[in-house]
């Protein structure tokens, strides 16, 4: 048995984790999936089920747990996985291969939606569902984090120096751009921190969009589904 440092996460030791009834490969290049993210997956599945067809874009895909946990839904015509980390995308691709995903799935290095907006990725003509569990912890806010998180990639944890919600702020501006390029409906489902509900509400209230907030298993409202208009 190799000698792991103290507090080294079990998931990195074994290289796998169960999420939404499936086994996923995890390495220190990706965030260890959190149980609460299943709430995002449930909502995304519900939304996708309500559509006849759609393109699913997952931003900040990490190990790919979110899109791969939705990939059995027949209305999905295409899955696009985006991440700024090429190492994370490699893990997501391995997971897609080992789970034998049948829907067309592609992996792209992208700063949020940049590759889509630069037309490096062509979208097919159908409703767009976007999922995103972006880094949302305030930079270097170690005091509120357990010791084992120190082994996770910083790029998967920290979202900015003001409140941590900055990447979502950038993404919302990009969504305005995306909406100008398509007549299709765009729905985004996001996860944020347990203490960011008011920040999310204040920022989203500046946009002409319909937002629905929903809770995790402990009743903390830390997800939103937003219809981009
Ligand atoms: C909190 S992790 C979530 C990983 C996975 N979606 C999950 O739920 O377990 C955030 C992911 O976003 C990626 N990321 C960070 N900054 C990004 C950016 N500007 N554009 C795209 N992806 C980014 C990180 O590399 C990381 O994989």
């Amino acid at each position: 048995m190799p000698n792991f440092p103290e507090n080294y996460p079990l998931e990195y030791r074994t290289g796998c984790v169960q999420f939404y009834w499936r086994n996923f490969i995890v390495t220190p290049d990706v965030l260890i999936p959190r149980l609460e993210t299943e709430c995002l997956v449930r909502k995304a599945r519900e939304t996708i089920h309500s559509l006849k067809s759609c393109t699913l874009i997952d931003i900040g895909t990490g190990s790919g747990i979110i899109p791969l946990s939705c990939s059995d839904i027949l209305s999905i015509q295409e899955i696009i996985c985006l991440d700024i980390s090429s190492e994370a995308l490699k893990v997501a691709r391995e997971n897609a291969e080992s789970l034998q995903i049948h829907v067309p799935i592609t992996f792209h290095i992208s700063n949020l939606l940049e590759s889509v907006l630069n037309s490096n990725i062509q979208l097919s003509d159908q409703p767009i569902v976007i999922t995103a569990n972006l880094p949302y912890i305030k930079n270097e806010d170690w005091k509120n984090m357990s010791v084992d998180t120190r082994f996770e990639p910083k790029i998967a944890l920290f979202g900015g120096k003001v409140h941590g919600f900055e990447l979502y702020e950038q993404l919302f501006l990009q969504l305005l751009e995306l909406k100008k390029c398509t007549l299709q409906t765009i729905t985004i489902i996001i996860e944020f921190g347990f203490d960011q509900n008011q920040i999310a509400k204040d920022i989203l209230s500046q946009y002409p969009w319909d937002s629905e907030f929903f809770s995790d298993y402990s009743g903390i409202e830390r997800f939103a589904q937003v219809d981009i208009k």
Side-chain angles (χ1 to χ4, degrees), residues 19 29-34 37 40 58-67 82-86 88-89 109-113 132-136 153-158 167 170 191:
F19 180 86
D29 289 322
V30 294
L31 185 93
I32 297 166
R34 305 297 200 265
T37 305
L40 187 160
D58 184 46
I59 310 176
T61 204
S63 56
I65 49 152
I66 297 173
L82 307 177
D83 203 293
I84 205 159
S85 156
S86 58
L89 287 171
I109 297 181
S110 182
N111 177 19
L112 305 173
L113 274 173
N133 177 20
L134 290 172
Y136 51 66
K154 281 190 177 175
I155 200 164
L157 296 172
F158 297 116
L167 282 173
Q170 290 171 33
E191 173 175 338

Side-chain angles (χ1 to χ4, degrees), residues 20 35-39 42 215-220 222-223:
Y20 209 79
L35 183 64
E36 306 83 70
T37 305
E38 286 188 0
C39 302
R42 280 177 211 282
S215 305
D216 66 12
Y217 296 123
S218 332
I220 302 172
R222 42 180 305 205
F223 303 91

Side-chain angles (χ1 to χ4, degrees), residues 1 15 35 39 43 46 65 76-77 92 118 127-128 132 136 154 172 174-175 182 205:
M1 198 61 179
L35 183 64
C39 302
K43 179 61 87 176
E46 215 179 281
I65 49 152
I76 301 179
Q77 303 301 307
N118 295 343
I128 299 167
Y136 51 66
K154 281 190 177 175
F172 296 160
Q174 290 184 344
L175 286 169
T182 176
S205 71

Side-chain angles (χ1 to χ4, degrees), residues 76-95:
I76 301 179
Q77 303 301 307
E78 179 188 11
I79 299 178
I80 297 171
C81 301
L82 307 177
D83 203 293
I84 205 159
S85 156
S86 58
E87 292 84 4
L89 287 171
K90 193 165 162 269
V91 177
R93 192 180 278 113
E94 276 178 48
N95 275 318

